[in-house]
Amino acid sequence: MQRISTPKIGSAICIAVLLLLSSSAFGQKVERESRIKSPEVPEKALEYIEQTSLDKVKWYRETGLESISFEAKFKHERRWYSVEFSEEGVLEDIEIEIDLHQVPEPTRESIDKYLEAEFKRHRIKKVQIQYKQTSLQALIKEEVSKTDSPHAFELVVKGKKSRLMKLWEVAFSSTGKYISIDQILNRNSTHLEY
Amino acid sequence: MNTRLSTLVLLGLLCFSGLRAQNTFQTGALPGINFNKDLGEIYSLNFKIESREQFWGGEVGSDAPFNHQHLLTDFTLIGSRQVGLSEKVNFGYMFRLEEGETIHRTIQQFSFISRLRTFSLGHRLVTDQTFEPEESTAFRLRYRVSAELPLDGDKADPGEFYVKLNNELLQGWQDGSKPLLEYRFGPFLGYSLDQTHKLEVGLDYRNRSILTDPTRHSYWLSINWFFKL
């Protein structure tokens, strides 16, 4: 059967719209996390991590709209650690992923109480213990008990408040007192759906 | 069956079907634009225009000359309802212009995204029905898994590149024809321009029938623009 050999209207529309969109899409402000190599890390932050003699540390630069921070991520004794530094390399906080059952019982009860009151349905997806005043070396060498030094908890919760299930980041004090809640926005994933 | 064994079986089937006589091939381009619009918190619309341009085609092993042919243009509109954190139920309609004929397709789809520490997986289960003049209705069941692997950091942020790997199996049924099991594979290089635009370029390979002869191998240069209004 003879096929039509000239580009049809569909192709023309596709190409025209591609060209039109390309001019509007570039040059916008972005917020991103990039993997970087150690030489790009502030010296102070690098020294802080190197004194722990950890290997396989991955470094990231987090570029926000108004600030830049650096983050070291690694796994130690089957736990994920995330250590955040300011642009100058000053330690901001240390977060360690833990299991829910490692949260002391009274704190857990207090957290559960809040989550049950806040959501119609919920499921805890991730628990992190956060330190601002304890050194990484002390935590890694277990010189201090993980729940003895000043800390807070940060949970990622899949929860339903209204019609839809959403993802939330909820912070609690070491005793389980509610501090803050933020919705984690879904990333645009239409390229994986259609 | 574990993943490695399944991959070997599939590769074996692909190679086997490629060696048989009278298999055909087609090579060309698939430019497409994908518009998305949220309608409130729960509903959204997806509109896609895709054109299929063939540059070479013929029997496998033959020396086919360059011959540009516009094969078809698809216009697809899909309405979605979010039913979970990432789960969506979709219903759609496709209008195809092919060789002066109009083909209609109805689409039902369920999709969800699994976010893992360093990559994401998109799952898509689709049933569709195609209505062509003087042909009986064709039914298809398809499952696609797409992996998005960021090339910088743990997720593909705006201004960053990513690799996307599509893997899809399609089972088709039509009165008077053998059921066909089609396989599609697509490695893509994507660029996330910002929160609303993504551009992807890659190969869309299709083997029309991996179990029965003869088959047709299609190799498309696929260029897709995803645009969220």
Side-chain angles (χ1 to χ4, degrees):
Chain A
M1 190 181 287
Q2 181 68 41
R3 292 192 191 281
I4 303 157
S5 62
T6 50
K8 291 281 257 185
I9 193 163
S11 312
I13 293 172
C14 287
I15 292 160
V17 180
L18 281 172
L19 289 171
L20 274 173
L21 292 177
S22 64
S23 58
S24 67
F26 288 96
Q28 294 193 359
K29 239 177 180 180
V30 291
E31 196 168 353
R32 56 192 278 206
E33 181 194 70
S34 311
R35 180 87 189 271
I36 54 169
K37 293 199 187 315
S38 332
E40 297 171 64
V41 178
E43 208 171 316
K44 212 168 160 184
L46 199 60
E47 275 172 17
Y48 187 88
I49 293 293
E50 280 177 350
Q51 68 186 1
T52 56
S53 308
L54 290 158
D55 52 357
K56 292 187 182 169
V57 176
K58 288 180 182 172
W59 283 98
Y60 298 85
R61 181 192 287 113
E62 190 99 41
T63 312
L65 292 174
E66 285 165 4
S67 66
I68 291 175
S69 63
F70 292 87
E71 205 169 358
K73 290 182 187 176
F74 55 89
K75 208 173 180 180
H76 175 69
E77 290 181 351
R78 292 184 295 166
R79 300 250 165 260
W80 282 99
Y81 283 65
S82 157
V83 188
E84 198 169 337
F85 300 92
S86 68
E87 195 175 359
E88 293 76 34
V90 178
L91 177 72
E92 288 189 338
D93 64 48
I94 300 168
E95 288 175 345
I96 309 171
E97 226 174 288
I98 58 168
D99 295 324
L100 185 61
H101 67 77
Q102 289 179 284
V103 177
E105 185 68 38
T107 309
R108 208 162 67 218
E109 277 173 14
S110 172
I111 290 174
D112 279 344
K113 212 170 158 183
Y114 171 83
L115 295 177
E116 271 161 31
E118 190 69 16
F119 300 110
K120 291 178 193 165
R121 273 193 298 134
H122 73 273
R123 189 158 67 83
I124 297 168
K125 287 178 74 82
K126 189 163 98 173
V127 183
Q128 285 185 312
I129 185 163
Q130 188 188 62
Y131 302 92
K132 286 183 188 275
Q133 294 158 36
T134 314
S135 78
L136 178 63
Q137 200 146 19
L139 289 165
I140 281 179
K141 291 186 175 169
E142 305 254 11
E143 285 164 6
V144 287
S145 162
K146 285 195 168 48
T147 49
D148 277 357
S149 45
H151 63 275
F153 293 101
E154 204 174 86
L155 274 66
V156 174
V157 178
K158 186 177 162 181
K160 191 173 183 176
K161 275 187 176 191
S162 51
R163 290 172 77 186
L164 264 188
M165 204 58 129
K166 287 175 185 167
L167 212 54
W168 308 87
E169 191 175 86
V170 199
F172 296 93
S173 72
S174 56
T175 55
K177 198 176 161 201
Y178 162 78
I179 298 173
S180 64
I181 184 164
D182 291 301
Q183 190 189 332
I184 301 173
L185 294 175
N186 271 345
R187 280 160 51 208
N188 173 10
S189 300
T190 47
H191 63 304
L192 297 174
E193 295 166 331
Y194 302 108
Chain B
M1 200 184 293
N2 65 33
T3 316
R4 198 172 292 176
L5 189 59
S6 312
T7 312
L8 283 173
V9 169
L10 202 54
L11 282 173
L13 286 168
L14 289 173
C15 294
F16 181 70
S17 60
L19 291 171
R20 295 298 194 85
Q22 293 195 338
N23 288 340
T24 56
F25 79 98
Q26 52 184 175
T27 305
L30 287 180
I33 300 168
N34 215 302
F35 296 97
N36 293 278
K37 171 81 180 153
D38 286 341
L39 303 173
E41 203 179 40
I42 291 178
Y43 297 97
S44 60
L45 277 178
N46 171 268
F47 178 61
K48 184 180 180 183
I49 308 171
E50 188 178 70
S51 157
R52 199 176 295 179
E53 310 296 326
Q54 182 178 303
F55 300 143
W56 290 274
E59 283 190 13
V60 172
S62 68
D63 191 15
F66 177 84
N67 178 22
H68 175 223
Q69 296 179 327
H70 169 77
L71 300 184
L72 55 88
T73 306
D74 286 340
F75 301 87
T76 311
L77 183 67
I78 292 180
S80 294
R81 188 193 194 283
Q82 187 112 18
V83 290
L85 192 60
S86 71
E87 294 84 354
K88 279 182 183 172
V89 173
N90 311 272
F91 292 94
Y93 165 73
M94 188 198 81
F95 173 77
R96 171 173 287 178
L97 294 173
E98 184 175 9
E99 296 169 20
E101 284 185 348
T102 308
I103 295 165
H104 306 272
R105 178 176 289 164
T106 47
I107 302 162
Q108 305 80 41
Q109 175 178 318
F110 175 72
S111 64
F112 65 97
I113 312 284
S114 314
R115 301 243 177 250
L116 303 164
R117 189 176 289 278
T118 53
F119 66 97
S120 300
L121 289 176
H123 304 267
R124 189 180 83 169
L125 184 67
V126 182
T127 54
D128 63 46
Q129 304 77 38
T130 307
F131 308 94
E132 262 182 86
E134 295 167 36
E135 293 268 357
S136 55
T137 308
F139 298 88
R140 296 192 306 174
L141 173 67
R142 30 197 305 198
Y143 168 70
R144 187 183 79 181
V145 60
S146 304
E148 181 205 77
L149 311 159
L151 293 180
D152 190 8
D154 289 344
K155 56 186 194 301
D157 290 318
E160 292 178 354
F161 285 95
Y162 59 90
V163 167
K164 187 173 94 174
L165 299 172
N166 281 348
N167 237 313
E168 184 170 23
L169 272 176
L170 302 85
Q171 177 70 58
W173 297 271
Q174 189 171 26
D175 261 0
S177 306
K178 283 183 194 170
L180 291 180
L181 183 62
E182 182 174 340
Y183 173 69
R184 294 182 183 181
F185 175 70
F188 290 86
L189 178 67
Y191 183 68
S192 184
L193 293 149
D194 56 26
Q195 299 288 2
T196 53
H197 298 74
K198 282 187 170 73
L199 181 65
E200 294 179 349
V201 179
L203 172 75
D204 185 331
Y205 166 73
R206 301 177 181 185
N207 186 331
R208 193 172 153 76
S209 164
I210 57 172
L211 296 177
T212 51
D213 269 343
T215 189
R216 184 181 67 203
H217 302 277
S218 307
Y219 307 89
W220 305 108
L221 171 70
S222 185
I223 306 164
N224 291 309
W225 193 292
F226 293 87
F227 178 46
K228 197 161 187 179
L229 294 165

